Amino acid sequence: MNGTSAEAAGTSVIACHECGTVHRMRPIPQGGAASCRQCGATLYRQKPDSIDRTLMLTLAALILFIVAHAFPFMTFKLEGREETSTILTGVIRLYDMGMWPLAAVVLLTASLVPLVWLSSMAYVLLPIRLGRLPWGVARLFRITEMLRPWAMMEVYLLGVIVAYVKLSDLARLELGVAVYAFVGLILVMMAAEAALDPHRVWERLGAQASAGALGRLRGGLLISCHGCDQLCRADRATVAAEPLCPRCGGALHRRKPNSIARTWALLIAAAILYIPANLLPVMTVVYFGRGEPDTILSGVKELVEAGMWPVALLVFFASITVPVLKLLGLTFLLVTVQRRSTWRRRDRSLLYRIIEGIGRWSMVDIFMISILVALVNLGAIATIVPGAGAICFAAVVILTMFASMSFEPRLIWDAQEKSDAGRPPLRA
Ligand SMILES: [Zn+2]
Ligand SMILES: [Zn+2]
């Protein structure tokens, strides 16, 4: 790039995640946010007492997590029999039925990843608060930030609501203590996330970066670390050797490696699996010995016929609209990037941001199935059996999430230098 200043390698500058434009960081009012002038993405926010508040909320969330997992979640009552379940009952039942891929997905996204996220957040923030930094904190914080999209408790809650509505005309349902703890946990975790200012944390962890490592990175190219936003300078030879970020220890690349090929591969795999995901049954409700398999679409149809419009719309949006939007949207982004199009870059950046944000909500159906399987377990009276379609559908959601993560949004803006008149902005 056009090496304008030496301070471009310091901490007072930041490169936009989505277009690479380098901005000087300016003080902004409390609660305010700075946006990229080029693509409109949020660059950083000013959050009061970020570290203290995030730490307190994280510790509160850990306590709620234990309560939500230790106590009964829901009780299902039918024909004088009852079945009490906890959050983990669905996972165990799915595993017993030979559906271990589904069991693994539900266990990871609804319990394990949130627990790891909360624990490592406490492990990073507590030493910062106490002023002593143990080994490996920076690396751990980088991984913690990467885990966040895979913690899907709020989506699980939506699955609980759908399952509750579906069962309410079949039997009586009682909510347990764990449901209230779970709702509290989601609210507190959202508050912790809102209070977290990663730049503040990186500033405090920055002391660990060795000056020697930074000194080696001199030359023409600016690289923004994917993990911690540290801006580094490097020459082409250094970039080719894939250096590590001096602050967080992550690999430094100018662009995500092989982004286009990887995104295409994941996208095509998802598109292929999308066919059996819709044709095969996702579950079968056996009620007094009789049962009909349900696909995703017939599940929505049943909700409509039962007059449950809001839930039907919600499931339709999450399970049908969102995956199609992701498949088509990412294809469109890949094709325009490969054609080096400069058409409506700001809107395409926005499209990418939407695709990344909504992807996880498609998991609703999978969570709903795990809850139904756990609750409706009364042998010949009523049982719910998951189908192969559910595994395909979970694979579609996960593959499209990986696809949107491996897409490099800065490629949308890389076509710009040649076509725009005037001096292009400094980009990383
Ligand atoms: Zn930008
Ligand atoms: Zn880094």
Side-chain angles (χ1 to χ4, degrees):
M1 295 282 123
N2 51 356
T4 41
S5 57
E7 78 236 345
T11 48
S12 58
V13 282
I14 185 173
C16 173
H17 270 280
E18 288 179 30
C19 70
T21 306
V22 176
H23 298 259
R24 206 179 299 274
M25 285 175 90
R26 291 196 177 86
I28 49 172
Q30 296 268 326
S35 310
C36 174
R37 62 178 125 75
Q38 187 84 267
C39 74
T42 305
L43 291 171
Y44 53 93
R45 292 174 193 279
Q46 179 65 42
K47 295 172 178 174
D49 303 325
S50 170
I51 288 174
D52 282 3
R53 287 200 305 142
T54 312
L55 179 61
M56 291 307 140
L57 289 163
T58 304
L59 295 177
L62 275 169
I63 296 167
L64 286 168
F65 185 94
I66 296 166
V67 177
H69 281 76
F71 290 92
F73 199 73
M74 272 203 271
T75 307
F76 175 79
K77 291 184 174 173
L78 180 71
E79 307 284 325
R81 290 183 59 182
E82 59 176 66
E83 182 80 25
T84 300
S85 69
T86 66
I87 292 184
L88 294 176
T89 311
V91 175
I92 297 163
R93 281 272 294 155
L94 284 170
Y95 183 80
D96 286 345
M97 289 168 140
M99 288 286 186
W100 63 265
L102 281 188
V105 167
V106 176
L107 179 67
L108 280 171
T109 54
S111 298
L112 221 51
V113 173
L115 178 63
V116 172
W117 191 82
L118 287 169
S119 321
S120 40
M121 201 54 97
Y123 181 82
V124 172
L125 295 180
L126 204 57
I128 290 182
R129 185 72 187 73
L130 299 175
R132 290 174 62 95
L133 294 179
W135 177 85
V137 174
R139 264 159 223 269
L140 185 70
F141 187 62
R142 174 168 58 86
I143 295 164
T144 309
E145 291 252 281
M146 274 159 42
L147 279 179
R148 185 58 189 104
W150 301 99
M152 304 186 190
M153 290 189 308
E154 61 274 37
V155 186
Y156 187 90
L157 184 66
L158 207 59
V160 173
I161 295 169
V162 178
Y164 189 90
V165 170
K166 268 194 176 245
L167 288 181
S168 55
D169 60 340
L170 183 75
R172 246 185 65 215
L173 281 172
E174 269 169 27
L175 301 180
V177 181
V179 172
Y180 301 103
F182 193 71
V183 173
L185 168 60
I186 291 167
L187 294 176
V188 173
M189 202 164 152
M190 282 163 84
E193 222 198 332
L196 176 69
D197 179 357
H199 293 287
R200 259 275 119 73
V201 178
W202 283 121
E203 260 169 39
R204 302 286 282 269
L205 296 176
Q208 287 194 320
S210 79
L214 264 177
R216 270 189 278 120
L217 298 170
R218 282 184 215 289
L221 285 173
L222 265 180
I223 311 178
S224 169
C225 173
H226 291 292
C228 72
D229 286 349
Q230 170 81 48
L231 263 184
C232 304
R233 278 199 177 281
D235 53 37
R236 287 189 187 278
T238 321
V239 177
E242 297 217 338
L244 296 184
C245 171
R247 185 157 72 173
C248 72
L252 281 177
H253 329 273
R254 272 203 77 228
R255 297 291 175 261
K256 293 174 190 172
N258 300 323
S259 164
I260 292 179
R262 252 184 226 181
T263 313
W264 269 123
L266 291 161
L267 202 61
I268 291 167
I272 292 170
L273 279 169
Y274 189 66
I275 300 165
N278 278 283
L279 293 180
L280 294 177
V282 287
M283 64 173 183
T284 306
V285 185
V286 184
Y287 192 59
F288 289 104
R290 283 186 301 146
E292 248 180 58
D294 260 333
T295 60
I296 289 174
L297 202 59
S298 74
V300 175
K301 222 177 92 189
E302 258 171 41
L303 284 169
V304 171
E305 280 163 6
M308 297 157 181
W309 274 99
V311 178
L313 275 175
L314 196 144
V315 175
F316 185 83
F317 181 75
S319 309
I320 292 162
T321 317
V322 170
V324 170
L325 188 76
K326 283 183 79 175
L327 291 173
L328 294 179
L330 279 172
T331 307
F332 170 74
L333 287 176
L334 281 169
V335 170
T336 48
V337 159
Q338 281 185 301
R339 294 173 61 96
R340 297 189 68 77
S341 163
T342 55
W343 180 76
R344 291 186 161 228
R345 285 181 301 238
R346 228 180 140 93
D347 292 337
R348 283 192 285 145
S349 272
L350 178 66
L351 174 67
Y352 175 70
R353 227 168 291 147
I354 294 170
I355 289 174
E356 257 216 314
I358 58 174
R360 45 217 292 284
W361 291 95
S362 303
M363 230 32 154
V364 166
D365 251 27
I366 302 300
F367 291 142
M368 178 203 72
I369 291 167
S370 87
I371 296 155
L372 291 179
V373 163
L375 284 170
V376 189
N377 180 24
L378 302 176
I381 304 173
T383 310
I384 288 181
V385 187
I391 296 179
C392 299
F393 189 76
V396 170
V397 179
I398 290 167
L399 285 169
T400 49
M401 277 181 74
F402 275 123
S404 68
M405 284 172 193
S406 59
F407 180 75
E408 172 61 84
R410 282 175 288 192
L411 293 176
I412 297 172
W413 297 86
D414 279 352
Q416 130 182 322
E417 268 97 335
K418 283 170 192 156
S419 51
D420 279 8
R423 196 171 70 94
L426 182 63
R427 292 178 65 235

